[in-house]
Amino acid sequence: MNGVGKRDALLIAQLAAGNSHEKVAAALGCCTMTITRRLRDPKFRAALDEARRQLFEAAFSRINAAGQAAASTLISLLSRETPAAVRLGASRTLLETSCKFRETRELEERLKVLEERLATQTKSW
């Protein structure tokens, strides 16, 4: 991690992984007050936030990559050979997910238009 020492990097890795202050302190041989003190440092906090963001992005990428397989599985569950209760659940999931995707896309488009209008208004001032 750029800009932090080896000890801080270990601390950040433990905290970013979601470990409690007590667990991190025990693992690194420090006290919880050290962790609390480090969290008050804006540079340390920024490095921790970045580490958490990177972990989230990695997890999201894995989920996104599995999306095609999940969609195929749900679609395959719609076949007549599948028990009715399972088909109903798959249908419900597909419809709910489709609605959420559509709503998200519409909101993204509306936000883009608003941002463009704001940028135009800001330039004219």
Side-chain angles (χ1 to χ4, degrees), residues 7-119:
R7 185 108 174 126
D8 276 351
L10 292 172
L11 187 57
I12 287 168
Q14 290 281 321
L15 292 171
N19 294 316
S20 69
H21 290 194
E22 292 77 17
K23 186 174 180 179
V24 173
L28 299 181
C30 65
C31 67
T32 58
M33 279 304 293
T34 299
I35 297 168
T36 302
R37 184 177 41 78
R38 294 304 297 131
L39 288 170
R40 289 188 197 123
D41 179 352
K43 288 182 181 179
F44 180 86
R45 184 60 125 167
L48 176 58
D49 290 344
E50 176 61 17
R52 286 179 173 154
R53 187 194 65 73
Q54 288 176 3
L55 285 174
F56 177 81
E57 288 294 324
F60 183 76
S61 293
R62 291 183 65 202
I63 291 168
N64 197 33
Q68 291 294 333
S72 295
T73 299
L74 281 171
I75 292 167
S76 73
L77 292 174
L78 298 176
S79 71
R80 294 219 182 270
E81 299 79 39
T82 305
V86 175
R87 285 197 327 263
L88 175 62
S91 296
R92 207 177 265 141
T93 299
L94 284 166
L95 290 172
E96 289 171 357
T97 304
S98 297
C99 289
K100 287 178 186 175
F101 281 144
R102 189 186 79 238
E103 290 170 2
T104 301
R105 178 159 293 180
E106 288 173 0
L107 285 172
E108 287 173 348
E109 290 172 5
R110 291 171 65 190
L111 181 60
K112 182 178 177 182
V113 168
L114 289 172
E115 287 173 339
E116 289 170 355
R117 284 184 188 165
L118 183 61

